[in-house]
């Protein structure tokens, strides 16, 4: 409710052919192929194949090289790529926010996966009891986003609130 992104470049009265001509198919293939290669390498490494096997090393290497090529392609080759450059050109706020949200996502994943597994191993194997024990943390995280979003929207500043919230979340995670 409080996010007001820049206006999209696509208008409602453009022909499908014109819209399709602006789609960055090469960028999509580079990005999707690179992420797929990385995910396969990480998923199969140590389970299907050994970490030092040629298949895993090749998959991880191809994924990393592909992402570097994707970044260079998006930055220097295409005029209008997958990522809207207006989000990166005006200030460093958006890249910083992406980084912070990545860390926040890792923390939340850690709570959802690791803590639930800990509860499973230490206290109970009943799924409903596990969810009940996780509810206070998850409810506070969910409902804490609403006032935080309102404060950031009204003050037009997110840095102090975001850093404080992440420190608080990290402390208890």
């Amino acid at each position: 409710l409080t996010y007001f992104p820049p206006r999209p470049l696509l208008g409602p009265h453009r022909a499908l052919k014109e819209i399709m001509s602006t789609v960055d198919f090469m960028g999509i293939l580079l990005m999707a192929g690179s992420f797929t290669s990385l995910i396969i390498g990480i998923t199969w490494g140590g389970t299907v194949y050994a970490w030092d096997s040629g298949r895993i090393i090749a998959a991880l290497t191809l994924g990393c090289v592909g992402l570097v090529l994707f970044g260079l392609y998006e930055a220097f080759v295409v005029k209008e790529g997958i990522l809207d450059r207006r989000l990166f050109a005006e200030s460093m706020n958006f890249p910083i926010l992406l980084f912070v949200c990545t860390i926040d996502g890792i923390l939340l994943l850690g709570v959802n996966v690791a803590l639930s597994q800990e509860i499973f191993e230490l206290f109970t194997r009943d799924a409903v009891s596990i969810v009940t024990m996780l509810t206070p943390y998850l409810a506070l995280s969910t409902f804490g986003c609403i006032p935080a979003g309102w404060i950031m929207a009204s003050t037009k500043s997110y840095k102090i609130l975001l850093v404080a919230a992440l420190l608080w979340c990290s402390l208890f995670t």
Side-chain angles (χ1 to χ4, degrees):
L1 294 175
T2 61
Y3 175 60
F4 303 103
R7 305 253 331 127
L9 297 175
L10 297 175
H13 304 294
R14 294 175 68 182
L16 181 61
K17 186 177 179 181
E18 184 182 354
I19 292 171
M20 292 303 287
S21 69
T22 62
V23 174
D24 180 18
F25 291 107
M26 186 63 169
I28 292 170
L29 286 173
L30 264 173
M31 184 181 72
S34 300
F35 279 129
T36 301
S37 182
L38 274 175
I39 291 169
I40 285 174
I42 291 170
T43 305
W44 287 358
T47 56
V48 179
Y49 301 105
W51 282 106
D52 59 354
S53 77
R55 293 179 181 183
I56 298 303
I57 293 171
L60 295 174
T61 304
L62 285 173
C64 291
V65 169
L67 286 176
V68 169
L69 290 175
F70 168 71
L72 293 171
Y73 175 78
E74 288 287 311
F76 300 112
V77 177
V78 293
K79 188 175 173 184
E80 187 179 319
I82 293 174
L83 304 172
D84 192 340
R85 293 186 183 168
R86 294 177 292 173
L87 296 172
F88 296 93
E90 295 174 8
S91 72
M92 286 297 293
N93 286 344
F94 187 70
I96 291 169
L97 189 61
L98 285 178
F99 176 75
V100 168
C101 288
T102 301
I103 300 302
D104 188 41
I106 291 168
L107 291 171
L108 188 58
L109 178 69
V111 168
N112 284 328
V113 175
L115 186 57
S116 59
Q117 186 64 35
E118 233 177 87
I119 293 170
F120 177 82
E121 295 294 335
L122 295 175
F123 300 112
T124 180
R125 297 187 183 277
D126 179 45
V128 175
S129 297
I130 293 171
V131 170
T132 304
M133 289 180 191
L134 282 174
T135 298
Y137 175 81
L138 297 175
L140 287 173
S141 296
T142 302
F143 294 115
C145 292
I146 295 168
W150 179 77
I151 291 168
M152 286 186 267
S154 61
T155 62
K156 304 291 186 224
S157 174
Y158 64 89
K159 293 176 186 172
I160 294 171
L161 183 64
L162 192 58
V163 169
L166 285 174
L167 288 175
W168 185 256
C169 182
S170 300
L171 176 68
F172 289 102
T173 302

